[in-house]
């Protein structure tokens, strides 16, 4: 099963056959919204709008743990995450898609782990896997995140962008900021000097938490604006939502193509990440 997380301005995906809407409870609290279970290309797809329908949660108040755990409860181990970003790399222009291959974390106040040692919650799933062994055993876990994104999901997204003739780049460093404010021009200048390509507020801790549950996680970002100080005008949420609106149909086409192309068997190491990771 495949999970899709929609970002700003993307609260549903039409074109897939919706089967049902399910409310999921988790030991980590409430997810952002109900999950929409659908079918496409013979595959079960589950959609969740990260900010909730109607954009109820700002980035720093999203319950990322509940969102990702909810996917686990529904049996999902592959996730495509869609997000709006500001473009830092001078070669990027609004409307471009970016399939990031790494991230840098500048968030400040987010819980980034399920595994809290003695304070860990007890799992409400019964898959009898390492996740439950570590959580219920109240272990401390340090996952490797050298390569944060699943290479199979990434290549699938790249193939989908190519086939769709979308304007995209096949790698990039995503810098995650705390928000909800946008960045200062000096922050973006520093990020640019450090070689970061795009800036957004949600990929961390989403990718980290998905990896902690051994999921295959890939991200597609849409450059909605040039970042602060690169853009010549004041940044607004209006332009972010407008660009997401303009690109809505194209995003949907890319996602549907990616769903068609996702292989059944994955040749990557994502599912091995918990081996030897607990103390
Ligand atoms: N900064 C941070 N997050 C964003 C931006 C930005 O410029 N655009 C869309 N999400």
């Amino acid at each position: 099963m495949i999970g899709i997380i929609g970002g700003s301005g993307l609260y549903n995906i039409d074109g897939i056959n919706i089967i049902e809407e399910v409310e999921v409870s988790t030991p980590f609290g409430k997810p952002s919204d109900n999950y929409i279970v659908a079918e496409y290309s013979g595959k079960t797809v589950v959609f969740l709008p990260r900010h909730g329908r109607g954009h109820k949660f700002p980035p720093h108040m999203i319950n990322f743990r509940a969102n990702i755990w909810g996917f686990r409860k529904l049996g999902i181990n592959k996730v495509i995450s869609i997000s709006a970003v500001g473009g830092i790399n001078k070669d990027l222009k609004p409307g471009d898609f970016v399939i990031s291959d790494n991230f840098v974390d500048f968030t400040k106040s987010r819980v980034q782990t399920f595994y809290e040692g003695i304070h860990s919650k007890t799992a409400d799933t019964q898959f009898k896997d390492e996740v439950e062994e570590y959580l219920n055993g109240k272990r401390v876990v340090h996952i490797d995140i050298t390569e944060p994104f699943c290479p199979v999901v990434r290549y699938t997204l790249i193939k989908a962008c190519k086939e769709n003739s979308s304007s995209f780049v096949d790698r990039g460093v995503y810098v995650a900021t705390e928000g909800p404010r946008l960045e200062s021009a000096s922050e973006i200048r520093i990020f640019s000097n450090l070689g970061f390509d795009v800036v957004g507020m949600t990929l961390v801790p989403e990718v980290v938490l998905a990896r902690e549950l051994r999921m295959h996680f890939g991200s597609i970002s849409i450059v909605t604006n040039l970042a602060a100080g690169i853009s010549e005008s004041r940044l607004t949420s209006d332009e972010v939502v407008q660009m997401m609106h303009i690109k809505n149909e194209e995003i949907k086409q890319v996602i549907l193509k990616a769903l068609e192309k996702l292989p059944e068997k994955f040749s990557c190491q994502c599912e091995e990440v918990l081996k030897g990771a607990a103390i």
Side-chain angles (χ1 to χ4, degrees), residues 101-199:
D101 63 342
N102 225 298
F103 73 79
V104 174
D105 178 20
F106 272 80
T107 65
K108 297 186 172 79
S109 71
R110 306 193 183 178
V111 186
Q112 299 216 10
T113 184
F114 291 103
Y115 308 104
E116 298 181 299
I118 189 109
H119 301 292
S120 293
K121 300 271 192 295
T122 303
D124 63 350
T125 51
Q126 302 229 317
F127 296 126
K128 302 205 184 323
D129 58 1
E130 286 156 325
V131 172
E132 284 161 19
E133 184 190 328
Y134 291 173
L135 260 188
N136 299 347
K138 312 238 174 266
R139 307 278 295 275
V140 170
V141 176
H142 303 282
I143 54 157
D144 172 278
I145 199 140
T146 308
E147 186 182 15
F149 302 103
C150 171
V152 180
V153 180
R154 279 195 67 239
Y155 296 142
T156 306
L157 286 167
I158 289 167
K159 273 194 280 178
C161 284
K162 266 191 196 147
E163 196 170 288
N164 204 49
S165 307
S166 291
S167 177
F168 79 103
V169 292
D170 63 6
R171 57 153 303 281
V173 177
Y174 178 121
V175 55
T177 53
E178 180 64 18
R181 68 167 176 83
L182 292 154
E183 299 71 37
S184 71
S186 299
E187 287 172 326
I188 293 297
R189 201 174 325 113
I190 291 168
F191 292 161
S192 173
N193 289 340
L194 290 173
F196 306 160
D197 298 292
V198 293
V199 57

Side-chain angles (χ1 to χ4, degrees), residues 1 40 65 78 98 107 112 116 121 153 156 205 212 249:
M1 278 166 74
Y40 183 75
R65 288 201 299 186
K78 303 171 185 96
V98 181
T107 65
Q112 299 216 10
E116 298 181 299
K121 300 271 192 295
V153 180
T156 306
E212 276 201 347
E249 185 59 24

